[in-house]
Amino acid sequence: GLFDFAAFMSLSLGVLQANSSLILPIASAYALVTVALAWIVLKEKMTLRHIINALAILAGIVGMSL
C-alpha cells in the first residue's frame, strides 16, 4: 500500500539524483530493516550469524561508497 508506494518513489528519486551503483545496493539492504524491526518489535533473538551478516552488508555498502 502506502509504504510500498513510498519505497518505490524513494528508490526512483534516488536513482534519478545519485549514482545508481550506490543507491541500488543500499535499497537492496531492506533485509536489515526487517531483521531490526523483528528484533525491536517482536523481540526476536539476534544470533551471532545475524549480526555478522548485518555487519557484512553494512561493510559492503560503505565499501561501495568509497
Side-chain angles (χ1 to χ4, degrees):
L2 183 60
F3 289 115
D4 288 330
F5 176 74
F8 177 74
M9 291 304 295
S10 297
L11 177 63
S12 297
L13 289 173
V15 169
L16 287 174
Q17 295 179 1
N19 190 355
S20 63
S21 65
L22 177 62
I23 299 298
L24 294 175
I26 293 172
S28 66
Y30 66 89
L32 288 178
V33 176
T34 303
V35 170
L37 287 174
W39 178 58
I40 294 167
V41 176
L42 301 176
K43 307 295 187 222
E44 293 282 334
K45 290 185 180 180
M46 289 283 286
T47 65
L48 181 60
R49 190 167 107 184
H50 289 129
I51 295 168
I52 290 171
N53 288 333
L55 291 174
I57 291 170
L58 290 174
I61 291 171
V62 169
M64 293 283 296
S65 68
L66 297 177

